[in-house]
Amino acid sequence: MLFKELAGYYEELEAVSSRLTMVGILSEMFKASELDEIDKIIYMTEGVLAPPFEGVESGVAEKTMIDAIAMATGHSKADVENEYRASGDIGLSAMAASRKSRLKRIAQKQFTVREIYASMRKIATISGVGSKLSKVRLLADMISSSSPAEAKYIARYPLGQLRLGVGDATILEALSLMATGERKSKADLEGAFNICSDLGAVGLVLRKEGMEGIRKFKVSLFKPIRPQLAERLPTAEEIMKRMGGKAAVEQKYDGFRCQVHKKGKTVKIYSRRLEETTQMFPEVIAAAIHDLDAESIIFEGEALAYNDVTGEFLPFQETIQRKRKHGIKAMSESMPLRLFAFDLMYMEGKDYMGIPYSGRRAALERALRNSKTIIPSGRIIATSPGELERFFESSIEEGLEGIVAKDLSSAYTAGARKFSWIKMKRSYKGELSDTVDLVIVGYYLGRGSRAEFGFGGLLCAAYNKSRDVFETVSRIGTGFTEKQLSELKERLEKIRSSGKPVRVDSILKPDFWVEPKYVVVVRADEITRSPTHTCGMRRQGEGGGIGYALRFPRLVGDETIRSDKGAEEATTTEEIVEMFSIQKHLSIAR
Ligand code: AMP
């Protein structure tokens, strides 16, 4: 496909806001791709160079792009920069500069999608002395021999600002439409995506082998599986009832979720967001290589700092210091981690995900029996609410977060939140509800000194998975620390959007919209019904109703912005509705 054609589809996408129409355009675009380029087109449409676990950054900063636009069009850097500051959109600046180019236009080259993608990958590998100039030259080459419309996307893509409003769920639906003429095969495609976390790879198999290839899709080492998530219930009685009177009850550790992949002496670890975090855990890597009774394995656990002498778990704030890139080796000596393993997905060539929990757990325990660093999570088999309750209380006393009850006969369901795992945390039992993870979609200036400073409050949203949009649920205007204020201001200014981002559903209008990207942890007193927030207000294809909102929301957590969650991992609308019913139920019980 020529890049010109791809840019044409992107222009069409930008012009529409109906999701159904977008799915249709995307499906036509995928259909028009050649056999082995659909993966590249998918990555480009997602605004990335590769799936997240490969950690490939574009390596292009705003300044580099401004220089490239100037070099390609003969305008001064200052002019390009001014234009960019005014429009807030690097793509529009590139398009405008290219239209009014002062240089004699070189004969336009018809770049293919493959060529543009290859150049971007090449740019991502350039580093060291003189690297900026080399990147500027390569980018300028692409811009100067393209049309203004192509220049717009060439400028936006490496800065991660494509602004197409297309999420993973929409891409999956479009792939389904392409392959079967219907949107309902999305579930099978999502199944394949859940076990490889790579939309490009899913698209490629679909294009080459059709739906049959997708149904045969297999788990593979070093492609992370999308993690299973837990539902919530407020009481031990309800959990045991739901589990049918018998369940495994595991301790819930508040550390880093780690998915460990091992083959021989190669070990990689992936976070809950499926980013590679291998370098953070040298002692876990060593243990995985030397202690495990398995040559090849994929398993999951929670890594936590643990004091060997006192037997105490250290708080998350201390464990999280591992995020720093430096001093990890020293920390692995002064504050070693334990990995509390809780599930097994693959071992010695065999897929364990379909095997019932008890079988998975037994095999996992066998594989770990010689390790002191990677140990099975603490657990009991409970047959009554009383037993569950006692285990919960003793876990809290040990400094843990709570428990996760697990259905003994359930499979591992990648990427899904199901009642086969039910969590119960300390916070449900008191007056306060659990925290929620919300996506920032806009911000307010506030009044007085806050307005002068340039930041006064947030507009936050939950993720509606079935509509693939972000629905507002809370305005947060108080309780920020100085550090949070300046961090939020600085980071949000960089992702401002000139209008409401396509995937945001909001009645309220903040002073500035931002691309849905950052997730914050929010605690509130309760959830109320609300006519001004869109969370839970509309169902797919239906009009408005009444939404949900948080009462007395404030930011909590050790990081202002959660680094382990992306926008689509935020609390979902469904969860908010569910938390509302738990809360109603608790207040009746009280
Ligand atoms: P939450 O983040 O509150 O939704 O709780 C789910 C998270 O708890 C999972 O993503 C894991 O990172 C973590 N976790 C800690 N201990 C366990 C356990 N024993 N089983 C499953 N998940 C656990």
Side-chain angles (χ1 to χ4, degrees):
M1 186 190 286
L2 291 176
F3 188 71
K4 190 173 78 180
E5 294 168 60
L6 187 67
Y9 286 112
Y10 286 174
E11 296 243 89
E12 275 184 59
L13 280 171
E14 263 195 87
V16 298
S17 60
S18 139
R19 187 149 169 265
L20 270 179
T21 320
M22 286 172 108
V23 169
I25 298 170
L26 284 168
S27 132
E28 290 303 315
M29 178 176 102
F30 293 145
K31 234 184 244 166
S33 68
E34 280 157 43
L35 213 57
D36 57 354
E37 70 182 4
I38 189 168
D39 50 341
K40 287 144 198 109
I41 292 182
I42 290 176
Y43 297 136
M44 286 178 131
T45 308
E46 288 184 286
V48 295
L49 283 167
F53 56 87
E54 287 184 14
V56 184
E57 300 282 340
S58 76
V60 177
E62 263 173 25
K63 281 247 178 290
T64 310
M65 188 56 82
I66 289 171
D67 289 6
I69 297 171
M71 184 187 274
T73 60
H75 293 280
S76 73
K77 289 180 195 173
D79 281 352
V80 177
E81 184 153 7
N82 288 340
E83 151 79 41
Y84 171 49
R85 298 282 159 236
S87 70
D89 179 342
I90 196 77
L92 294 182
S93 312
M95 190 156 77
S98 162
R99 273 206 189 112
K100 302 177 292 194
S101 178
R102 296 183 168 186
L103 303 180
K104 211 164 134 255
R105 195 171 284 282
I106 312 168
Q108 260 189 37
K109 185 170 166 357
Q110 302 267 323
F111 282 115
T112 62
V113 168
R114 274 200 207 95
E115 284 167 326
I116 297 282
Y117 179 78
S119 293
M120 295 293 184
R121 289 284 311 218
K122 182 166 176 208
I123 290 170
T125 61
I126 303 176
S127 64
V129 186
S131 63
K132 183 174 171 203
L133 187 60
S134 318
K135 291 180 194 179
V136 169
R137 284 209 178 107
L138 278 169
L139 290 165
D141 265 356
M142 287 188 265
I143 296 172
S144 63
S145 24
S146 298
S147 68
E150 288 169 83
K152 172 164 135 190
Y153 298 106
I154 292 172
R156 283 181 183 174
Y157 174 42
L159 293 183
Q161 296 170 4
L162 267 188
R163 298 168 186 244
L164 301 179
V166 173
D168 292 352
T170 307
I171 292 183
L172 284 167
E173 235 173 273
L175 286 174
S176 162
L177 193 63
M178 169 193 86
T180 65
E182 289 179 311
R183 293 188 296 153
K184 61 176 190 257
S185 301
K186 181 185 161 205
D188 284 333
L189 289 160
E190 195 168 8
F193 176 50
N194 284 340
I195 56 174
C196 72
S197 311
D198 183 346
L199 274 182
V202 173
L204 211 52
V205 168
L206 180 66
R207 200 74 167 72
K208 290 189 171 156
E209 300 168 37
M211 286 307 290
E212 206 174 309
I214 293 296
R215 287 188 204 103
K216 287 192 307 215
F217 210 91
K218 287 207 172 56
V219 59
S220 46
L221 280 155
F222 308 112
K223 284 210 183 259
I225 298 162
R226 287 166 55 90
Q228 168 157 3
L229 304 168
E231 281 285 354
R232 335 170 147 78
L233 281 175
T235 63
E237 285 76 21
E238 276 172 87
I239 295 178
M240 288 311 287
K241 197 167 142 212
R242 188 95 202 193
M243 290 285 174
K246 189 173 177 188
V249 183
E250 297 192 7
Q251 294 194 303
K252 186 173 192 305
Y253 306 91
D254 186 16
F256 292 106
R257 187 164 184 163
C258 292
Q259 191 178 114
V260 184
H261 289 229
K262 164 184 170 171
K263 184 165 199 286
K265 292 206 174 344
T266 309
V267 177
K268 288 188 179 179
I269 299 184
Y270 304 96
S271 70
R272 182 196 155 110
R273 273 183 81 173
L274 311 172
E275 284 166 344
E276 200 190 325
T277 49
T278 310
Q279 86 293 341
M280 276 167 70
F281 306 106
E283 65 275 59
V284 176
I285 302 293
I289 294 174
H290 301 296
D291 306 350
L292 298 189
D293 276 344
E295 265 301 292
S296 67
I297 186 167
I298 303 177
F299 68 98
E300 250 184 344
E302 192 88 1
L304 203 63
Y306 178 79
N307 186 328
D308 249 343
V309 182
T310 62
E312 281 172 347
F313 297 101
L314 299 180
F316 185 68
Q317 291 90 300
E318 299 200 31
T319 311
I320 205 175
Q321 291 180 27
R322 290 280 181 125
K323 281 249 145 98
R324 293 184 317 198
K325 298 247 150 76
H326 305 290
I328 286 179
K329 185 157 185 303
M331 284 186 77
S332 71
E333 282 155 17
S334 67
M335 197 173 61
L337 293 181
R338 286 282 173 83
L339 183 69
F340 293 93
F342 55 74
D343 223 315
L344 173 70
M345 290 92 120
Y346 170 94
M347 192 158 61
E348 314 293 30
K350 181 170 164 187
D351 183 342
Y352 274 77
M353 286 191 287
I355 293 176
Y357 167 88
S358 23
R360 295 201 307 275
R361 173 81 188 197
L364 178 67
E365 286 181 9
R366 274 197 305 279
L368 301 182
R369 70 190 153 204
N370 294 320
S371 184
K372 291 200 165 53
T373 302
I374 306 175
I375 48 182
S377 56
R379 68 147 199 185
I380 59 162
I381 303 290
T383 50
S384 71
E387 272 177 278
L388 188 152
E389 187 81 39
R390 279 192 295 282
F391 192 62
F392 173 80
E393 296 298 347
S394 71
S395 302
I396 298 291
E397 248 169 65
E398 276 183 65
L400 297 175
E401 227 189 349
I403 55 96
V404 186
K406 297 183 178 178
D407 179 341
L408 290 160
S409 59
S410 65
Y412 184 94
T413 43
R417 190 181 297 281
K418 286 210 167 161
F419 278 98
S420 51
W421 284 16
I422 307 176
K423 61 186 173 181
M424 185 163 88
K425 291 208 273 189
R426 190 173 18 194
S427 41
Y428 300 144
K429 307 219 64 193
E431 294 280 316
L432 300 171
S433 56
D434 190 12
T435 57
V436 288
D437 300 316
L438 302 181
V439 188
I440 305 175
V441 295
Y443 66 100
Y444 295 89
L445 292 175
R447 287 197 210 105
S449 61
R450 285 273 190 91
E452 266 166 48
F453 171 70
F455 176 83
L458 296 171
L459 180 63
C460 295
Y463 177 51
N464 184 322
K465 197 164 176 230
S466 59
R467 295 179 64 216
D468 196 19
V469 298
F470 300 95
E471 301 174 335
T472 75
V473 67
S474 187
R475 227 187 117 153
I476 308 174
T478 53
F480 300 106
T481 63
E482 290 294 316
K483 185 172 155 269
Q484 286 172 336
L485 284 173
S486 49
E487 188 177 340
L488 287 167
K489 169 179 147 58
E490 198 188 313
R491 295 181 69 171
L492 296 178
E493 271 176 358
K494 293 212 177 92
I495 56 161
R496 267 191 213 166
S497 160
S498 40
K500 183 171 74 58
V502 188
R503 292 168 78 207
V504 173
D505 183 7
S506 177
I507 295 169
L508 297 173
K509 198 172 168 306
D511 292 320
F512 296 105
W513 294 106
V514 296
E515 291 301 324
K517 172 171 177 160
Y518 293 131
V519 172
V520 286
V521 188
V522 180
R523 186 178 285 291
D525 280 10
E526 59 175 331
I527 297 172
T528 53
R529 300 306 305 262
S530 156
T532 51
H533 283 287
T534 52
C535 175
M537 192 179 258
R538 302 182 234 273
R539 283 168 207 263
Q540 185 121 28
E542 282 181 15
I546 182 156
Y548 294 81
L550 302 185
R551 209 161 105 90
F552 299 131
R554 58 238 176 233
L555 291 197
V556 291
D558 306 301
E559 299 175 292
T560 309
I561 287 164
R562 270 190 83 146
S563 53
D564 66 336
K565 278 200 176 178
E568 285 163 13
E569 272 99 28
T571 299
T572 58
T573 299
E574 240 183 353
E575 285 179 87
I576 298 275
V577 176
E578 196 182 288
M579 286 171 83
F580 179 74
S581 67
I582 287 180
Q583 164 194 302
K584 221 163 69 187
H585 169 114
L586 275 184
S587 60
I588 295 165
R590 233 180 257 140

